Amino acid sequence: MDSFDETISPSQTVKVQQFQEITGIDDVNRCRDILIRNGWDLEVAMQEEMNLREGRPSLYATESRPPAVINDRFLQQVFTTKAPVGPPQGFGGLIGYVVNLVFNFCYSTLTQIFTTFIDIFRGQERIVTDPVQDVLQFIQTFKEKNPIHPVFYQGTYSQALNDAKRELKFLLILIHSEQKTESVNFCRDTLSNPEVIEYINHNMILWGCDVASPEGFRVSHSTNARNVYPTMLMICLRNNKMTIVGRLEGNCTPEELLRRIRSVVQENDIYLTQQRLDRLERSLNQSIRQQQDAAYELSLKADQEKERKKQEELAKQKRIQDELEAEKQAEHQRKVDIENMKLELASTVPSEPLATDEGVVMLVFKLPSGVRLERRFLSKHSLKDICTFIFCHPDAPDCFEITTNFPKRVLITSDAITKETSNSANCDNSNHHVSSAVQQRSNPEQTTMLEAGLKNREVLFINDLDA
């Protein structure tokens, strides 16, 4: 396989080896060509090869229209077998020879004219209704009289043309006449010769039919066969057209038949070889295109995957950016809401009593920023009033708790005054230090300073819950 290892892929090389082992075909190039014709489908190629070996038409031949056949005498090698005629003896023999020659010429001419005239009307009567049956009937009759014979194609002439074109083989046509002794002797003595059988089976497709049947008659006239039997025609693909390249007329010996057939094959095999090379080149180009298409598809998928990931990353970044922006806006809105709330609640802070008023309590507040605040309240003021005072102070945090020094206990958180806003939950989620004593109160913000046990000069700590 060194001659074409570089032209096919490793997997295709394996298929060629498998096909060769199963079929027993010695020529690996032929194995390769068969696989190429069947799209490198090993199973289909095997089935088609078995069909041809047994003379059965392929699926391709059944589904395709027959190609036109070029019948040009200038492209044909014509071999005619005539009965040997000895030289005339004496004057009487010369006169007899001339008379016989003139008689034969006139007889042949008149017979040809009469046959042509009759065929004009007879051709309309011989309508081909079942060409396959005509062929099978001929093969059956041939087998009964000649048990040893080449493999005959078991399909119509049109199917044989299709398969010969597809397989790039010579198509050998036998137009037989059971009424002609020469034709019967040819089938018995020459066509049944083992060497002839082996050569025909190995190198070409053999199709035959009796001229007495409608199918045989039609083929005989479509190929302009003369009334000489047997007539054999050799057809092959030449310059992309099915062409009659050989015409063998009359009975001959097996050796003479092989010489004639080989002469036609030798002269025209170059056209089939060129067709095989063209098919191989088309197959290689198709394989290259498929590989290029596959590589392009992979590259396209990779690019699409990159683009998809890029878009996902951009969408993720945008989503994160939107979330951050939303958080900023929410935080900004929360601060705006708190500032507005401070302005609204500032008017609710009770006025600072005089030091001389009854029930005055001085409270000291230590803010997280280090600022120290002092403020007088009345003992009747609630813890909510204290919380509101701290909440409205510009140095106080937005979310806080008020605790005593020692023992430490939480008096109230800013949630007491911001629970009606949308951000009250943030403060509540951050505060997990409310003392159980205060949690047990139903409304700790309504507890008065006296009830909370706050005395004069009490130091309270403001703890930032957002820190």
Side-chain angles (χ1 to χ4, degrees):
M1 284 188 201
D2 295 338
S3 61
F4 64 91
D5 271 346
E6 297 180 357
T7 63
I8 60 177
S9 65
S11 61
Q12 292 172 341
T13 302
V14 172
K15 288 185 178 180
V16 171
Q17 294 173 342
Q18 293 175 345
F19 185 79
Q20 185 180 25
E21 291 176 0
I22 297 173
T23 60
I25 299 176
D26 296 331
D27 189 354
V28 293
N29 291 314
R30 183 183 168 197
C31 295
R32 176 200 60 197
D33 294 339
I34 294 174
L35 285 168
I36 289 175
R37 290 194 298 272
N38 291 278
W40 291 101
D41 190 321
L42 183 59
E43 184 176 351
V44 174
M46 284 291 305
Q47 185 61 47
E48 292 297 328
E49 180 64 18
M50 293 300 105
N51 286 343
L52 287 176
R53 289 188 179 187
E54 297 174 6
R56 295 196 300 269
S58 67
L59 182 63
Y60 169 84
T62 305
E63 294 183 345
S64 302
R65 297 179 59 183
V69 178
I70 305 300
N71 186 8
D72 189 342
R73 291 275 179 170
F74 292 100
L75 302 177
Q76 301 174 15
Q77 293 187 52
V78 181
F79 302 90
T80 303
T81 302
K82 297 182 179 179
V85 179
Q89 302 291 332
F91 182 74
L94 179 61
I95 293 176
Y97 174 76
V98 172
V99 172
N100 185 55
L101 181 64
V102 172
F103 175 80
N104 287 335
F105 175 78
C106 294
Y107 177 79
S108 299
T109 303
L110 292 175
T111 301
Q112 186 69 27
I113 294 173
F114 178 77
T115 303
T116 303
F117 180 78
I118 293 298
D119 288 342
I120 293 176
F121 301 96
R122 186 186 298 175
Q124 297 178 355
E125 299 175 1
R126 293 192 177 187
I127 300 176
V128 182
T129 57
D130 193 351
V132 176
Q133 184 59 36
D134 293 342
V135 174
L136 295 179
Q137 182 62 41
F138 164 75
I139 296 175
Q140 181 63 30
T141 303
F142 192 97
K143 287 181 178 180
E144 292 174 356
K145 297 184 177 181
N146 306 281
I148 302 175
H149 59 84
V151 176
F152 280 97
Y153 188 85
Q154 302 173 25
T156 65
Y157 171 65
S158 299
Q159 292 175 332
L161 285 173
N162 280 325
D163 271 336
K165 181 179 180 180
R166 181 170 183 263
E167 297 295 323
L168 292 179
K169 281 190 171 185
F170 286 92
L171 175 61
L172 183 61
I173 304 296
L174 171 62
I175 301 177
H176 176 72
S177 175
E178 194 66 26
Q179 307 302 321
K180 301 294 182 179
T181 304
E182 294 84 357
S183 186
V184 173
N185 293 338
F186 174 80
C187 294
R188 182 190 65 230
D189 301 329
T190 301
L191 205 56
S192 297
N193 181 272
E195 293 184 8
V196 173
I197 292 174
E198 181 180 0
Y199 185 82
I200 291 177
N201 288 345
H202 186 72
N203 294 283
M204 55 195 62
I205 297 174
L206 175 61
W207 183 90
C209 199
D210 197 306
V211 72
S213 66
E215 175 72 353
F217 180 81
R218 181 182 69 84
V219 174
S220 174
H221 279 263
S222 67
T223 56
N224 295 329
R226 300 191 302 171
N227 293 327
V228 179
Y229 303 99
T231 294
M232 301 192 81
L233 305 171
M234 292 186 67
I235 303 174
C236 74
L237 188 63
R238 179 169 174 168
N239 298 326
N240 294 319
K241 296 180 180 178
M242 295 299 286
T243 306
I244 299 177
V245 294
R247 190 178 292 265
L248 293 67
E249 299 175 337
N251 189 10
C252 63
T253 63
E255 294 75 18
E256 179 62 19
L257 177 63
L258 287 175
R259 186 191 67 79
R260 294 177 178 182
I261 292 177
R262 285 169 177 161
S263 176
V264 178
V265 170
Q266 183 177 2
E267 183 174 333
N268 295 276
D269 191 56
I270 185 174
Y271 299 104
L272 295 182
T273 301
Q274 184 60 45
Q275 289 292 331
R276 294 187 185 99
L277 293 176
D278 292 342
R279 285 189 179 181
L280 176 59
E281 183 178 0
R282 288 195 297 269
S283 175
L284 293 176
N285 292 336
Q286 182 180 5
S287 178
I288 292 174
R289 285 196 298 270
Q290 290 176 349
Q291 293 175 3
Q292 291 175 342
D293 292 342
Y296 174 76
E297 287 294 332
L298 290 176
S299 177
L300 181 61
K301 288 182 179 179
D303 292 341
Q304 291 175 344
E305 183 65 17
K306 287 181 180 178
E307 184 64 23
R308 185 187 64 81
K309 290 182 178 180
K310 180 180 178 181
Q311 294 299 327
E312 287 183 353
E313 184 64 25
L314 291 176
K316 181 180 179 181
Q317 293 178 358
K318 185 177 183 303
R319 186 170 61 253
I320 294 175
Q321 187 66 27
D322 292 343
E323 290 175 356
L324 293 175
E325 187 65 26
E327 290 178 1
K328 288 181 180 179
Q329 292 180 357
E331 180 64 19
H332 175 72
Q333 186 63 40
R334 187 181 72 86
K335 291 182 178 181
V336 170
D337 293 341
I338 289 176
E339 290 299 325
N340 293 333
M341 185 180 297
K342 288 182 178 182
L343 293 176
E344 293 176 1
L345 294 178
S347 60
T348 64
V349 177
S351 301
E352 185 176 10
L354 298 176
T356 58
D357 290 344
E358 183 179 358
V360 172
V361 177
M362 173 65 72
L363 298 179
V364 178
F365 303 96
K366 289 188 176 182
L367 303 182
S369 61
V371 176
R372 182 185 177 91
L373 300 178
E374 294 185 1
R375 180 55 155 82
R376 292 188 296 271
F377 292 91
L378 296 176
S379 58
K380 65 180 181 178
H381 289 156
S382 64
L383 295 179
K384 183 180 179 180
D385 293 333
I386 301 175
C387 186
T388 303
F389 167 73
I390 298 299
F391 179 75
C392 294
H393 196 279
D395 294 331
D398 295 334
C399 192
F400 58 88
E401 65 180 3
I402 303 175
T403 64
T404 59
N405 186 14
F406 185 82
K408 182 177 179 179
R409 56 191 179 96
V410 178
L411 297 178
I412 193 172
T413 66
S414 58
D415 177 58
I417 57 174
T418 61
K419 61 183 178 181
E420 295 180 1
T421 67
S422 60
N423 295 302
S424 61
N426 294 331
C427 295
D428 184 61
N429 291 335
S430 302
N431 181 21
H432 303 285
H433 307 287
V434 181
S435 64
S436 59
V438 176
Q439 288 179 354
Q440 292 175 357
R441 298 175 183 269
S442 58
N443 293 307
E445 65 273 12
Q446 300 299 327
T447 304
T448 63
M449 295 175 57
L450 182 62
E451 293 173 344
L454 296 180
K455 302 178 181 179
N456 194 30
R457 304 300 298 181
E458 187 83 31
V459 178
L460 301 178
F461 293 88
I462 311 301
N463 301 319
D464 190 352
L465 299 179
D466 291 330

